[in-house]
């Protein structure tokens, strides 16, 4: 395959594909395909994110449109309306449903190796005074609605570096969690890649 230059701006999902399967990303970049209409499962995925967002709508003004919400291009695996209702009920049983986040659907731009990585963080929780230097500590949480429980920790690594730099806090002040909504299982991957490791993914 011929070399395909990386664009100046990538989504967080594209960075993950670059790490997992660079040839597949190269094919995608070389011959971009029109985005297909949203499948029903994907629409239900965005509706789940919108529903969580609406619980804390005072934290996200203005409300995001369906195309801006996560869930459209992920394997959300929400089968039907009953399944969507069950996910909502499962979320209400988690501790996060009863905590007030500092931010939800928080956008970010992260400069890495001369390129810009863009994305949105599902939720961020803040604990004042709990950071390593006595400042605030933050927990990033990404909702996972599918049945598989094998999300890529690289996603959280990008979010962690981006949030730490956006808030001007050391990375040690930011933890990152996957919440598998169906089961309530929490996964906090240890030893997430730092900025230098992320930049190496983008270097020749």
């Amino acid at each position: 395959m011929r070399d395909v230059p990386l664009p100046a701006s990538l989504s967080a999902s594209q960075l993950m594909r670059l790490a997992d399967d660079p040839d597949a990303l190269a094919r995608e970049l070389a011959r971009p395909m029109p985005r297909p209409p949203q499948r029903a499962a994907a629409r239900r995925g965005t509706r789940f994110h919108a529903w969580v967002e609406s619980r804390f709508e005072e934290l996200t003004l203005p409300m995001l449109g369906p195309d801006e919400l996560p869930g459209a291009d992920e394997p959300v695996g929400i089968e039907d309306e009953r399944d969507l209702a069950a996910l909502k009920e499962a979320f209400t049983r988690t501790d996060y449903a009863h905590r007030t986040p500092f931010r939800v659907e928080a956008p970010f731009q992260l400069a890495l190796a001369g390129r810009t990585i863009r994305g949105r963080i599902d939720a961020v929780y803040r604990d004042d005074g709990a950071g390593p230097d006595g400042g605030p500590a933050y927990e990033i949480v990404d909702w996972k609605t599918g049945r598989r429980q094998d999300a890529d920790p690289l996603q959280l690594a990008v979010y962690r570096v981006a949030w730490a730099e956006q808030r001007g806090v050391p990375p040690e002040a930011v933890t990152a969690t996957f919440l598998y909504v169906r089961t309530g299982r929490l996964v906090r991957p240890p030893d997430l890649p730092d900025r230098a490791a992320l930049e190496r993914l983008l270097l020749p």
Side-chain angles (χ1 to χ4, degrees), residues 131-197:
D133 57 359
Y138 298 94
E139 181 186 14
I140 288 166
V141 184
D142 188 77
W143 323 124
K144 293 300 181 189
T145 57
R147 297 185 185 279
R148 296 180 60 174
Q149 299 193 17
D150 57 356
D152 189 346
L154 184 63
Q155 179 184 7
L156 294 182
V158 172
Y159 291 179
R160 180 174 180 255
V161 171
W163 185 258
E165 295 187 3
Q166 184 172 304
R167 302 304 300 184
V169 299
E172 295 75 22
V174 184
T175 58
T177 303
F178 287 127
L179 169 62
Y180 293 99
V181 178
R182 292 178 183 276
T183 62
R185 180 186 175 209
L186 301 176
V187 175
R188 298 183 174 96
D191 304 320
L192 289 173
D194 60 9
R195 163 175 273 280

Side-chain angles (χ1 to χ4, degrees), residues 43-132:
R43 288 195 298 272
R44 286 188 286 270
T46 58
R47 284 171 56 196
F48 175 82
H49 281 265
W51 173 77
V52 174
E53 182 192 0
S54 71
R55 293 171 62 92
F56 310 105
E57 59 184 314
E58 69 276 8
L59 303 175
T60 52
L61 298 174
M63 291 283 283
L64 299 175
D67 292 339
E68 299 174 283
L69 283 164
D73 60 352
E74 296 181 5
V76 291
I78 304 177
E79 296 168 359
D80 51 30
E81 293 299 313
R82 180 179 296 180
D83 197 26
L84 177 60
L87 270 173
K88 293 178 180 180
E89 175 63 26
F91 180 81
T92 64
R93 294 194 296 270
T94 71
D95 289 343
Y96 294 104
H98 309 289
R99 294 171 56 191
T100 300
F102 178 67
R103 293 286 187 274
V104 293
E105 304 299 346
F108 69 83
Q109 295 187 63
L110 176 64
L112 287 176
R115 290 179 170 79
T116 301
I117 311 301
R118 293 186 171 87
R120 287 188 180 273
I121 301 169
D122 287 349
V124 183
Y125 294 83
R126 174 170 168 155
D127 188 355
D128 288 327

